[in-house]
Amino acid sequence: MNLGKKYSALTAAVLSALAFSNAVSAEQNKKTDEKVETIIISGTPGGMGIRKVDAAYAVTNVDESLIERLAPKSTADLFKAIPGVWVESSGGESGANINVRGFTSSGDAPFLTVSLDGSPVYPAPTLSFLENSSIFRIDETISMMEGLRGGPNPVLSNGQPGLTTNFRLKRGQEDTEGTFKYTTSDYGLQRVDGVLSGELSDDLYYMVGGYIKRSSGIRDAGFTSERGHQFTIKLTKELENGEINVYTRQTDDTGAWYLPTPLNEQGVDAEFTQLGSLNRQATIYAGNGKADIDLGEGRGWNGHVSGGSISFELGNDWHFIDRFSLTQGDANTYGLVPGGNVVNLADVADNGTSAIGAATGAVYDANTRVQDYGRWVVLKDIEAFTNDLAFSKDFGKISSAFGMYTATTSAKDWWSLGNSAYHVLAQGGEMLTGIACNDSTEGCGFNYDINSSGDATTVAFYTTQSYKATDALTVDLGLRSERHEVDYSVDEGLDGKITKTVDYSARKTSWTIGADYKLNDISGVFVRFNKGFKMPYFDDFRDNYDTYTSGDQLIKEVSQSEIGYKYMGENMDFFATFFANEVKGESFSTRPDLPAQRFTTEAHGIELDFNYNHDSGFSVNLNGTLQNSEIAQSPDSTLTGNKSQRIPDWQLRITPSYEFELGDMFATIYGTISAVDSRYSDIQNTPSAVLDGYEKVDIGLTLEPMEQVQLQLAIDNLTDEQGLTEGDPRNPAAANGRYILPRSIKFSVAYSF
């Protein structure tokens, strides 16, 4: 079925749903029962809050009960619940690739911002080997996640034009409450979670929580490849005219970095990982020296995110709010990165017949399958401080807000990429001696080593104005003027010589304009247009240095338009958003040492977000995306008109659940059915590089044998689907690919009071 027919069918479904929702809303408006009142802070100046049904933009809410049922394997995995978002979370706990509304990228998540209680955890959405979700872990302290796409995003906070996901921490109340949970799995996971909240004194509340975990990984590395702990504390003081919140979230969590593996090789499937006890220790040569490393450290985050907010009612309908955040820590990466195709040992051995295992001394014959693996190391020390303050006032029909956002961002990097050597293709297969390049300090492929340091400062002034033209029609406008400055230097080669320097300053003005029309108290339609920018950070200059020195400011210009329908009834929520966007100045690079290609992309599509809850105990959550994303203009004419790489034309997720009584117990059975379309794994749209679509099924069961105890069994990827999320991004011609995570089973027991 071609894309046009898909749009026709989906549009018909939307129109039918609109007709149905208006019919039931007429009946529900007669009821005096309490309506669903969901307050969101995303998309509001300083995070002041607004009713979701009154928002003239698309926001998805995922509460803690849905988070529990989705059972995400990582923070990025949870973003699959947001329409318009394509997530490749097959790399493990960290290092996801996340695309929003068809925006193209080389990898990571350049159009994603992760916020905690309204403040960005790191203002730069993506640095090489670091996207925002890698420095954030989900646990029992989270009450809700909000996902705002487009909308007023370009004007507020860090000016993210794509997706902002805001995680809201639980807060203490007068009553003491707590949950303690133990979780285990079929891959040896041992995890303990806890959260406790209550009142310390009059109007002073606390919430503390965290976790400790250990496992050998879903792809068994033969040692404890995943380990971590986290501790969070939040204090809230209520005042006569306002509130003060402070929090800190201390995290030390690492896990193996799962990379593409050979396809169609015996013994290699979704459970395969090259990393193991025979190859985790290695000696690499970087610059004029050498270093001993432990690849078992994988990817992770060792640091803290701390911050808070202060809000006051100043009188005469003036309101003040200030949100601030400090992030500091190390986000390091160690991994075995495949290079090229698998070959027979005879093709690379010095004697053409055999080689010796570097760890065991075993002799491997000529027919042994071997592959070139790079021992990559990225040490990254990051720090950021943000502050977002806003004053607002209601003048009757006009509501005004004025704010200032500031951010200082730094990153110090030490990289040694390459360091490649041939290893036995096997679970934890060892490196070999008796191969010339293996035994050389130069390695078997490219090497790219850097030592860099960068600082960025952003100062932005913004205003939003809302005019209530009638009881039904509201029009809003937002403007942002931003100054962005970067100082950056790079020593390429680790020889003490600075090869690239940047002293950068640019100013841009972003805007948004929207209108919201209420059909009744629980439904409405909206339209919005915006223009925003993704300002360059450190790696953008390194990857595009010649372009920068020739006068290009390396700013990505993003234009978007949206038309949406929203309905929030007593038992049903339904949101449909049509979108179109254009991104000028997109860039793509297959490898950090190679120059990037720059081009313009266009995308359009529709996002569906549906929730239904019936008194019988049945409920269902559905989110779907249908889109077309392509390269609209490129200096390389062969790319113009190509599909954006690795972004499916459609994807659908349905999560039904049913609550019932089982003897003296309450029980809930639930599941998630996911389906995605095929994609091209490379930007050239090579016919042989098509990633097939796939379907994935997850199921779960919860039992409450007594009021305060809950048992949960969750099975991820029930059918053990072998879907691929990517090919080999560094060598599209190589027969490598990264599988979605294999089937896994978790069991937990929780006690709440």
Side-chain angles (χ1 to χ4, degrees), residues 286-579:
N288 296 320
K290 66 178 183 177
D292 296 325
I293 60 171
D294 180 3
L295 295 165
E297 295 187 30
R299 297 187 73 157
W301 168 239
N302 183 4
H304 73 91
V305 179
S306 306
S309 63
I310 304 170
S311 62
F312 293 108
E313 297 292 340
L314 301 177
N316 196 28
D317 290 329
W318 280 97
H319 181 80
F320 167 79
I321 186 167
D322 183 60
R323 295 184 180 274
F324 52 92
S325 177
L326 173 66
T327 298
Q328 290 178 311
D330 298 324
N332 299 332
T333 295
Y334 298 80
L336 279 170
V337 180
N341 289 308
V342 177
V343 297
N344 285 329
L345 178 57
D347 297 329
V348 294
D350 291 348
N351 60 19
T353 58
S354 65
I356 299 172
T360 66
V363 178
Y364 294 90
D365 64 29
N367 294 322
T368 302
R369 300 291 276 171
V370 299
Q371 188 171 27
D372 184 7
Y373 281 90
R375 285 77 56 86
W376 287 25
V377 179
V378 175
L379 306 182
K380 192 177 292 284
D381 178 3
I382 65 171
E383 181 177 331
F385 176 72
T386 67
N387 193 86
D388 186 2
L389 65 86
F391 292 90
S392 64
K393 179 176 172 59
D394 188 350
F395 294 96
K397 287 192 173 184
I398 297 178
S399 296
S400 300
F402 305 89
M404 181 176 72
Y405 169 84
T406 60
T408 57
T409 308
S410 69
K412 297 178 181 179
D413 283 31
W414 186 96
W415 297 10
S416 183
L417 309 186
N419 309 301
S420 59
Y422 283 95
H423 291 65
V424 176
L425 181 64
Q427 197 88 354
E430 63 185 317
M431 192 183 84
L432 298 168
T433 61
I435 299 175
C437 60
N438 278 23
D439 301 331
S440 166
T441 59
E442 299 298 321
C444 297
F446 86 102
N447 286 288
Y448 184 62
D449 305 327
I450 68 168
N451 183 11
S452 69
S453 182
D455 294 284
T457 302
T458 300
V459 178
F461 296 92
Y462 63 85
T463 182
T464 62
Q465 306 292 325
S466 177
Y467 173 62
K468 193 172 181 61
T470 67
D471 289 341
L473 177 64
T474 302
V475 180
D476 69 85
L477 170 70
L479 292 172
R480 173 193 184 94
S481 178
E482 174 179 321
R483 168 69 70 180
H484 183 68
E485 298 177 341
V486 177
D487 291 300
Y488 180 56
S489 61
V490 187
D491 165 10
E492 292 178 305
L494 301 181
D495 55 6
K497 298 178 182 178
I498 302 300
T499 56
K500 295 177 179 177
T501 60
V502 174
D503 183 5
Y504 176 89
S505 180
R507 180 182 295 278
K508 282 294 182 181
T509 299
S510 303
W511 56 265
T512 182
I513 185 169
D516 182 79
Y517 186 80
K518 293 176 61 175
L519 300 175
N520 49 49
D521 288 340
I522 56 176
S523 67
V525 293
F526 67 85
V527 61
R528 178 167 299 280
F529 304 93
N530 69 46
K531 175 173 282 190
F533 303 89
K534 183 183 181 301
M535 306 299 274
Y537 280 88
F538 318 121
D539 303 283
D540 297 303
F541 294 101
R542 191 194 63 253
D543 291 343
N544 302 275
Y545 192 69
D546 290 342
T547 305
Y548 160 67
T549 55
S550 68
D552 195 317
Q553 290 190 314
L554 304 184
I555 298 172
K556 297 179 182 179
E557 180 180 314
V558 182
S559 302
Q560 297 183 81
S561 57
E562 304 171 62
I563 300 176
Y565 171 83
K566 52 191 177 177
Y567 170 84
M568 291 189 70
E570 186 177 17
N571 301 110
M572 186 179 73
D573 306 340
F574 177 72
F575 299 83
T577 307
F578 293 89
F579 67 87

Side-chain angles (χ1 to χ4, degrees), residues 99-118:
N99 288 285
V100 183
R101 287 185 168 178
F103 299 165
T104 301
S105 69
S106 301
D108 296 312
F111 292 100
L112 164 72
T113 292
V114 174
S115 294
L116 181 61
D117 272 1

Side-chain angles (χ1 to χ4, degrees), residues 70-364:
L70 293 174
K73 294 292 183 296
S74 63
T75 303
D77 209 32
L78 180 61
F79 300 157
K80 295 175 182 177
I82 305 172
V85 180
W86 169 244
V87 180
E88 297 174 357
S89 55
S90 51
E93 187 77 16
S94 303
N97 299 316
I98 303 169
N99 288 285
V100 183
R101 287 185 168 178
F103 299 165
T104 301
S105 69
S106 301
D108 296 312
F111 292 100
L112 164 72
T113 292
V114 174
S115 294
L116 181 61
D117 272 1
S119 294
V121 298
Y122 193 64
T126 283
L127 302 180
S128 293
F129 302 99
L130 178 67
E131 42 80 27
N132 272 196
S133 77
S134 292
I135 56 177
F136 192 84
R137 302 291 184 270
I138 301 171
D139 61 14
E140 296 295 318
T141 64
I142 298 299
S143 66
M144 179 181 290
M145 180 197 73
E146 300 169 348
L148 167 61
R149 293 93 66 197
N153 256 339
V155 169
L156 303 173
S157 189
N158 67 329
Q160 171 62 262
L163 168 69
T164 295
T165 56
N166 181 46
F167 289 87
R168 297 169 64 172
L169 290 170
K170 294 177 180 177
R171 54 168 290 168
Q173 304 291 338
E174 291 184 3
D175 296 330
T176 300
E177 298 178 347
T179 297
F180 292 92
K181 182 165 73 173
Y182 167 74
T183 304
T184 187
S185 74
D186 63 341
Y187 55 89
L189 173 66
Q190 300 295 309
R191 174 168 173 149
V192 175
D193 286 80
V195 62
L196 183 68
S197 62
E199 186 176 33
L200 289 172
S201 62
D202 290 345
D203 300 324
L204 178 62
Y205 307 99
Y206 72 92
M207 183 278 294
V208 296
Y211 68 82
I212 302 172
K213 71 170 187 180
R214 298 288 187 274
S215 86
S216 60
I218 295 177
R219 295 183 173 124
D220 188 3
F223 60 90
T224 304
S225 64
E226 293 186 352
R227 61 180 70 226
H229 57 267
Q230 180 167 268
F231 175 76
T232 303
I233 181 170
K234 178 178 181 178
L235 300 176
T236 302
K237 175 64 176 179
E238 292 183 351
L239 308 172
E240 289 186 5
N241 64 333
E243 183 176 282
I244 299 174
N245 288 279
V246 292
Y247 61 82
T248 185
R249 194 173 185 84
Q250 308 282 333
T251 309
D252 185 355
D253 192 304
T254 62
W257 184 20
Y258 299 135
L259 287 141
T261 57
L263 304 177
N264 305 316
E265 288 288 333
Q266 186 174 359
V268 178
D269 57 17
E271 295 185 2
F272 179 87
T273 175
Q274 185 71 29
L275 181 66
S277 298
L278 296 180
N279 59 38
R280 60 180 291 189
Q281 275 87 24
T283 298
I284 61 172
Y285 295 86
N288 296 320
K290 66 178 183 177
D292 296 325
I293 60 171
D294 180 3
L295 295 165
E297 295 187 30
R299 297 187 73 157
W301 168 239
N302 183 4
H304 73 91
V305 179
S306 306
S309 63
I310 304 170
S311 62
F312 293 108
E313 297 292 340
L314 301 177
N316 196 28
D317 290 329
W318 280 97
H319 181 80
F320 167 79
I321 186 167
D322 183 60
R323 295 184 180 274
F324 52 92
S325 177
L326 173 66
T327 298
Q328 290 178 311
D330 298 324
N332 299 332
T333 295
Y334 298 80
L336 279 170
V337 180
N341 289 308
V342 177
V343 297
N344 285 329
L345 178 57
D347 297 329
V348 294
D350 291 348
N351 60 19
T353 58
S354 65
I356 299 172
T360 66
V363 178
Y364 294 90

Side-chain angles (χ1 to χ4, degrees), residues 62-73 78 81 138-140 142-144 170 179-181 183 655 657 659 668 670-672 698-704 709-716 746 748-752:
V62 182
D63 61 21
E64 59 181 317
S65 63
L66 184 54
I67 293 175
E68 179 182 86
R69 292 175 185 177
L70 293 174
K73 294 292 183 296
L78 180 61
I138 301 171
D139 61 14
E140 296 295 318
I142 298 299
S143 66
M144 179 181 290
K170 294 177 180 177
T179 297
F180 292 92
K181 182 165 73 173
T183 304
T655 304
S657 66
E659 299 178 357
T668 303
Y670 60 91
T672 299
D698 312 319
I699 62 170
L701 173 69
T702 62
L703 297 174
E704 297 180 24
V709 176
Q710 183 186 79
L711 309 178
Q712 182 181 22
L713 179 69
I715 304 176
D716 184 76
K746 281 186 179 179
S748 66
V749 54
Y751 176 76
S752 301

Side-chain angles (χ1 to χ4, degrees), residues 617-660:
F618 173 76
S619 66
V620 63
N621 166 266
L622 177 150
N623 81 74
T625 305
L626 181 63
Q627 65 185 357
N628 181 42
S629 176
E630 63 182 29
I631 297 173
Q633 185 177 354
S634 172
D636 181 353
S637 60
T638 63
L639 297 179
T640 302
N642 281 6
K643 290 276 190 179
S644 295
Q645 65 165 1
R646 290 171 26 198
I647 300 177
D649 279 347
W650 61 266
Q651 55 177 316
L652 181 68
R653 288 171 62 88
I654 304 174
T655 304
S657 66
Y658 180 64
E659 299 178 357
F660 58 97

